[in-house]
Amino acid sequence: MSKLDQVLILDPPSDLKFKGPFTEVVTTNLNLKNPSDRKVCFKVKTTAPRRYCVRPNSGVIDPGASIIISVMLQPLKDYDPNEKSKHRFMVQTIFAPPNVSDMDSLWKDTKPDDLMDSKLRCVFELPFENDKVNDVEIIKAAPLMNSLKADPSAAAVPVSASVDDTELKKALEKCKRQQAEMSKLLEENRQLKEEGVRKRMMPRSDHMTSNSTNLLGRESSAASLPSLLVVIAAIFIGFFLGKFIL
C-alpha cells in the first residue's frame, strides 16, 4: 500500500478502463476523495501524454471533499494491442502548506520523501465480435445509401448483394423438382410414341396373316383339282370299257 492510499481514496483503485472502438475520444472518470482533516495537493501524470487529455490534471482537495478527474483518450488511427502495456497513470500528492500561492514552485521544492503516489494501469476493452460485424456492415452500407440518395434511379439496386442461404436452398430444391418432373414427362412421351408405333404395326401383321392363309387355301385347292379330274376320267373310261365288253 502506498502513502497516497492513506491520504486519498481512488475510484477505480487500480485500473482505468477505456472501451472501444477508439475512432473517437473515449472518456473515463477517476474519483479522488480526501478523507483526512488536511488539504491535499494532487497532480496526475501519464507515460503517454500525447494520447491523453486530463482535466483537471492538478489541484487542491479540501478535507472530506472529493473531485472527479476526466481522463480522455484521444482517437487512435491504428490501434496496437501491444501499446496498451505502455500506458500508465500516476497520481502524486502532498499535504498542502497553510498558504499555497504558487503550485509550480510547491512541486519543485518538495522533497521526494514527502511525495506520495499511486499508480494506475490502463485497460482497453474492444467491442464484441457481433458489434464489430455490425459496425463493418454499417460502414459498408453507408456509401451505398448515400449513392441511392444522390441517384433515385438506383433505388432498385438491393443494399445487400448476398443471397440468404435458406432462400437459395429452396430455389435449388424447386429447380431439382422441376427437372424431375420434366424427365418424367419426357419418359411418358417416349412410352406413348412406342405404344402408338406398336398399334400401327398390329393391323399390318393381321392382314399379312390372313393373306397367307388364303394363299395356302388356294394352293391346296389347286393341288387337289388334278386328282379329282383323274378320278372322274377313270370313272368314265371304266364306264365305256364296260359297255364295249358287254
Side-chain angles (χ1 to χ4, degrees):
M1 181 179 293
S2 65
K3 296 179 181 179
L4 180 59
D5 294 331
Q6 302 175 9
V7 178
L8 294 182
I9 298 176
L10 279 66
D11 183 21
S14 59
D15 296 338
L16 291 177
K17 295 183 179 180
F18 299 89
K19 187 175 181 180
F22 305 106
T23 56
E24 57 186 12
V25 176
V26 181
T27 303
T28 187
N29 294 326
L30 174 63
N31 187 17
L32 302 180
K33 184 177 181 180
N34 180 13
S36 68
D37 55 356
R38 297 176 58 183
K39 290 184 177 182
V40 176
C41 298
F42 72 92
K43 179 185 289 187
V44 181
K45 293 183 177 181
T46 178
T47 58
R50 295 183 180 181
R51 294 291 190 183
Y52 297 92
C53 180
V54 182
R55 294 289 183 272
N57 60 357
S58 63
V60 179
I61 304 176
D62 294 329
S66 61
I67 188 171
I68 296 177
I69 309 297
S70 295
V71 181
M72 293 166 280
L73 174 63
Q74 302 304 304
L76 301 176
K77 294 182 179 180
D78 296 322
Y79 170 67
D80 184 4
N82 298 323
E83 186 180 1
K84 64 180 182 181
S85 60
K86 304 177 183 179
H87 293 199
R88 294 285 188 276
F89 276 86
M90 182 174 63
V91 180
Q92 291 181 328
T93 186
I94 56 174
F95 285 111
N99 297 319
V100 181
S101 58
D102 189 356
M103 295 295 297
D104 293 335
S105 299
L106 175 65
W107 289 106
K108 290 179 181 180
D109 297 338
T110 301
K111 297 179 180 180
D113 294 339
D114 295 334
L115 289 174
M116 296 171 282
D117 61 73
S118 183
K119 296 179 181 180
L120 299 171
R121 185 184 62 172
C122 296
V123 178
F124 294 167
E125 295 181 354
L126 291 174
F128 294 106
E129 292 298 326
N130 292 336
D131 296 338
K132 292 170 68 177
V133 171
N134 293 333
D135 292 339
V136 171
E137 290 180 352
I138 293 173
I139 292 173
K140 289 183 177 180
L144 182 58
M145 295 300 295
N146 294 332
S147 63
L148 290 177
K149 290 180 181 179
D151 186 6
S153 61
V157 178
V159 174
S160 177
S162 60
V163 180
D164 187 75
D165 293 340
T166 303
E167 295 181 358
L168 180 59
K169 290 181 179 179
K170 290 180 179 180
L172 291 175
E173 291 177 358
K174 185 177 180 181
C175 183
K176 289 181 179 179
R177 287 197 301 269
Q178 290 179 351
Q179 290 179 352
E181 292 176 359
M182 181 64 69
S183 300
K184 185 177 179 181
L185 290 174
L186 291 174
E187 181 65 21
E188 291 178 356
N189 188 21
R190 185 182 63 80
Q191 292 178 359
L192 290 174
K193 287 182 178 180
E194 291 179 355
E195 186 177 355
V197 172
R198 286 197 299 270
K199 287 183 179 181
R200 286 196 298 270
M201 292 296 293
M202 286 176 63
R204 293 183 180 179
S205 60
D206 294 341
H207 182 67
M208 291 176 65
T209 303
S210 61
N211 290 338
S212 61
T213 304
N214 293 333
L215 181 60
L216 290 173
R218 291 177 184 176
E219 289 178 354
S220 60
S221 60
S224 62
L225 182 59
S227 301
L228 181 60
L229 293 177
V230 170
V231 172
I232 294 173
I235 292 172
F236 278 108
I237 293 171
F239 178 71
F240 285 112
L241 288 176
K243 276 188 174 185
F244 287 118
I245 295 171
L246 294 176

